[in-house]
Amino acid sequence: MSELPVVFRVQRELREALDRAIDRARATLGSPQGFTGATVEVPRQSAHGDFASNVALELGSRLRRPPRQVAQVLADHFDPAGTWVRELEVAGPGFVNFRLHPSWLYEAIEQILRQDADYGRSELGAGLKVLVEFVSANPTGPLVLVAARAAAVGDTLASCLEWSGHRVEREYYVNDAGRQVELLAQSLEARMRERLGEPAVIPEGGYPGQYLVDLAQEALDALGPGILQDPGRLAVLRDWTVARLVQAHREELAAYGVRFDTWFHEAAFRAGGAVEEVLEILQARGLLYERDGARWFASTRFGDDKDRVLVKSDGEYTYVLPDAAYHLNKLRRGHQKLINLWGPDHHGYIPRLKALLEALGYGPDTLEVLTVQWVRLLRGGDPVRLSKRGGVTILMRDLLEEAGTDAARFFFLMRSHDSPMDFDLDLAKLRTAQNPVYYVQYAHARIASILREAARRPQGPGTADLARLTDPSELGLARRLADFPEEVALAATAREVHRLTRYATDLATLFHKFYDTCRVLGEDGGLTRARLALVDATRIALRNALRLLGVSAPERM
RNA sequence: GCGCCUAUAGCUCAGCGGAUCAGAGCGCCGGCCUCCGGAGCCGGGUGCGCAGGUUCGAGUCCUGCUAGGCGCACCA
């Protein structure tokens, strides 16, 4: 159980004090209908106070009174006792702005130093069980560029959810059943025969990529050429290749800092009869019908555009059916919320899967699908063109070799997952100033350097008196440090992980400004100790933010 | 034809349930180191695709249009 972050405590106190003011002003204002309580937010501009509430604007419309008047009445009835409020003003159309005594920031700094590696955690999620499924690339070839984006977003989202009090499982779905892996096996067999000098052709819709040429030799070494005479060879080759490719995916992702709790294999799952069970449930609920020799699901009853085939006329299942069974399985494992990260090419498929889950008895918000948009790689300012047909596509490992994990993750996480993005390879590769990831890491290295220097110098006796921190650059930095738990929570609940790179950049900027304005190691022992505490707190927040992003926080660069 | 995403500074992008910001990084120009890391700091900007609408107030919400990407299978 982590302690309540100061920033949340302050906001709660303000909310409660505002609610009391509303209560006291009831004689003047009357009772608002359907009002659920005051909200307090962090203003974007510091000129608008440390915190602000739009409560008077909300009340104004409910009470049919000018918001500014409501705000003034609330201000008159506001009792700052028990809060940090030092000053309160009515501003703009009726905002109530609060300026707090800086001691709340000193308390925040103390909390940061106390919590250290846990600073930023909160319990807002109340232990909700969430499954985040991401990447889930088909085991038919190496991971491609967009997998790196999905991996970064999914992993950091999962981390943010964990840090804000959710119980999270990271899952990778291995599509090792169906036609595509049969084609994979046939393609491999062709390459093996080719290796042995036999005539061979890659089947229509198969996999012509170079990687199978390499794997063919491996397969021959591992399984022996005799396998090609075996009547059951395709199943053997399929299992062998899939295992080999999945292993490669696992290792590549691990090197990228992404570890999954579960690798969920479709083939094994389907063998367990779960798919048939879904059909039975739907049948029992009268949601299936026969037409043209196929079995249809009445998905339009659940908001889909049209009804969908679940069992084709040849008896095979369409993809959505086992997928629905899989998602049912996720829910039966106790997860209360399912988050999937998919590419934009799958979005048309979302309504029918949601329809199936609803038909199985789950609410429409149980499954949330986030779209990770495509990545275009820029080199020398021009897009790197890829042609999948010719087997030339940009691989995740190509990017990581060239840009490195830190730059790749940071760059992907700078953008909203929902926006198509250009990845500027030249900028990401720069080991210098202009690269945003180095800007942030540099701040961390600089802090480490100061702390090293401080450790070398003799320290006089005494404790840090944080009240010595009064410079705007000091307070501005401390203020942003205090925001961290809220930033993490917002990144998690709004599914906007790119907030975190922005936050880290903000911290770096504020730190550099502070560094430029204030000398840390000076003659004044008390001031030096106070500033060292601030510097150390910055180190902690920056390091924790980078940790959530999966980017290293170097001590030296 | 229908649906989803996108359109904000020269470039790449933020702008979280209207009001209390048009912003960041890169690029460009000009300043700042006897001192804890100058990989830094400071200064320089008449930009929200177009047209309507709602409102006291609209990058933000609604409608239409334009442009780019993606989808709309008895493929996965």
Side-chain angles (χ1 to χ4, degrees):
Chain A
M1 193 72 178
S2 55
E3 54 184 299
L4 182 67
V6 169
V7 67
F8 290 143
R9 210 173 82 207
V10 170
Q11 291 182 45
R12 191 180 66 190
E13 284 167 0
L14 290 174
R15 277 198 307 272
E16 289 170 356
L18 273 172
D19 285 338
R20 285 196 297 273
I22 293 168
D23 230 35
R24 275 194 293 271
R26 209 164 281 271
T28 319
L29 293 176
S31 300
Q33 297 294 311
F35 179 71
T36 54
T39 58
V40 170
E41 291 174 348
V42 179
R44 293 188 204 171
Q45 270 186 308
S46 55
H48 299 130
D50 296 304
F51 293 91
S53 177
N54 64 349
V55 64
L57 292 156
E58 278 190 46
L59 287 176
S61 60
R62 290 175 194 282
L63 300 169
R64 289 197 209 83
R65 279 165 164 276
R68 272 200 74 104
Q69 194 188 80
V70 176
Q72 194 53 57
V73 171
L74 291 183
D76 293 342
H77 286 82
F78 189 88
D79 178 9
T83 72
W84 304 91
V85 175
R86 187 162 71 173
E87 193 186 328
L88 172 152
E89 67 174 6
V90 174
F95 285 92
V96 180
N97 295 342
F98 299 100
R99 269 173 247 292
L100 272 46
H101 192 278
S103 55
W104 83 276
L105 293 173
Y106 308 147
E107 185 137 336
I109 291 171
E110 286 168 4
Q111 184 178 52
I112 295 169
L113 299 177
R114 197 165 54 239
Q115 287 195 288
D116 199 351
D118 287 325
Y119 177 62
R121 290 186 185 268
S122 68
E123 310 283 345
L124 293 182
L128 190 80
K129 282 197 74 178
V130 182
L131 186 146
V132 184
E133 184 212 323
F134 57 110
V135 184
S136 298
N138 287 334
T140 53
L143 294 173
V144 299
L145 184 61
V146 73
R149 183 177 190 181
V153 172
D155 184 51
T156 295
L157 176 61
S159 296
C160 288
L161 285 164
E162 278 168 354
W163 275 53
S164 54
H166 302 80
R167 285 181 291 166
V168 179
E169 184 169 353
R170 291 170 172 80
E171 183 152 305
Y172 190 114
Y173 186 52
V174 181
N175 284 133
D176 56 356
R179 210 166 72 90
Q180 50 181 353
V181 287
E182 305 305 329
L183 285 167
L184 178 73
Q186 292 166 27
S187 303
L188 182 72
E189 182 186 6
R191 290 299 193 194
M192 290 168 78
R193 293 194 184 280
E194 192 176 75
R195 202 96 188 161
L196 298 172
E198 299 176 31
V201 284
I202 305 291
E204 181 71 27
Y207 299 91
Q210 171 67 32
Y211 60 94
L212 279 189
V213 177
D214 304 333
L215 279 183
Q217 185 59 55
E218 262 190 59
L220 285 170
D221 294 343
L223 304 170
I227 185 70
L228 292 175
Q229 312 310 321
D230 187 332
R233 64 186 176 278
L234 279 176
V236 175
L237 293 182
R238 180 194 63 207
D239 292 350
W240 183 87
T241 333
V242 166
R244 187 70 184 65
L245 286 167
V246 169
Q247 181 60 24
H249 292 177
R250 191 197 305 262
E251 287 166 6
E252 201 172 337
L253 288 162
Y256 191 51
V258 181
R259 278 166 229 285
F260 290 88
D261 301 300
T262 313
W263 291 73
F264 194 96
H265 288 257
E266 181 183 2
F269 171 64
R270 282 174 74 153
V275 179
E276 291 70 24
E277 188 192 341
V278 169
L279 280 176
E280 284 162 21
I281 295 172
L282 296 174
Q283 184 72 51
R285 296 189 181 179
L287 295 168
L288 296 184
Y289 62 90
E290 304 272 335
R291 194 173 80 200
D292 303 332
R295 295 181 83 186
W296 294 70
F297 165 52
S299 56
T300 44
R301 289 212 227 160
F302 302 94
D304 198 3
D305 295 352
K306 52 197 278 192
D307 289 350
R308 305 289 174 176
V309 170
L310 295 186
V311 185
K312 299 191 253 178
S313 49
D314 64 3
E316 292 285 314
Y317 301 144
T318 59
Y319 186 73
V320 72
L321 180 58
D323 215 22
Y326 167 46
H327 284 81
L328 179 62
N329 176 276
K330 287 179 179 177
L331 290 162
R332 287 185 174 167
R333 280 186 273 154
H335 295 290
Q336 296 157 289
K337 183 87 186 173
L338 308 181
I339 299 178
N340 290 0
L341 272 63
W342 283 355
D345 51 335
H346 285 75
H347 86 254
Y349 169 80
I350 297 169
R352 75 190 83 159
L353 181 58
K354 286 193 148 199
L356 273 166
L357 287 180
E358 269 197 79
L360 293 170
Y362 293 90
D365 297 328
T366 308
L367 171 66
E368 195 177 323
V369 180
L370 306 182
T371 304
V372 178
Q373 295 285 345
W374 296 128
V375 180
R376 203 168 58 145
L377 210 53
L378 293 186
R379 196 197 302 274
D382 297 318
V384 179
R385 272 290 152 213
L386 49 90
S387 76
K388 211 164 185 175
R389 190 152 304 167
V392 182
T393 179
I394 300 163
L395 301 183
M396 174 166 159
R397 63 166 169 264
D398 296 337
L399 171 75
L400 295 187
E401 261 172 37
E402 212 165 327
T405 292
D406 284 348
R409 287 193 67 142
F410 197 89
F411 272 55
F412 285 129
L413 293 168
M414 282 197 296
R415 308 281 185 255
S416 162
H417 62 83
D418 211 13
S419 302
M421 72 172 278
D422 285 339
F423 191 107
D424 186 339
L425 201 48
D426 301 315
L427 182 60
K429 281 168 66 178
L430 282 182
R431 310 270 142 179
T432 58
Q434 304 95 313
N435 191 334
V437 65
Y438 284 91
Y439 177 81
V440 174
Q441 290 180 315
Y442 176 68
H444 187 269
R446 197 180 221 186
I447 289 169
S449 171
I450 294 170
L451 296 176
R452 277 195 301 272
E453 181 64 23
R456 289 196 321 118
R457 299 187 183 193
Q459 296 287 313
T463 54
D465 176 13
L466 297 178
R468 298 292 303 277
L469 302 174
T470 55
D471 188 87
S473 69
E474 295 169 320
L475 297 177
L477 174 58
R479 171 54 211 257
R480 204 71 182 110
L481 294 176
D483 282 340
F484 184 51
E486 184 163 25
E487 289 290 339
V488 174
L490 278 170
T493 56
R495 327 288 188 224
E496 289 177 350
V497 290
H498 63 283
R499 298 180 66 99
L500 230 44
T501 42
R502 197 164 195 80
Y503 176 76
T505 307
D506 270 3
L507 272 193
T509 299
L510 289 167
F511 174 74
H512 288 314
K513 281 182 183 170
F514 154 73
Y515 178 88
D516 201 59
T517 312
C518 300
R519 170 91 201 168
V520 178
L521 305 175
E523 304 302 316
D524 183 336
L527 183 60
T528 293
R529 278 187 292 272
R531 286 182 172 163
L532 276 173
L534 176 62
V535 168
D536 201 29
T538 308
R539 176 186 65 81
I540 290 167
L542 203 50
R543 181 203 55 200
N544 291 1
L546 287 171
R547 185 174 159 201
L548 287 169
L549 294 169
V551 174
S552 66
E555 303 281 317
R556 300 172 201 273
M557 293 172 70

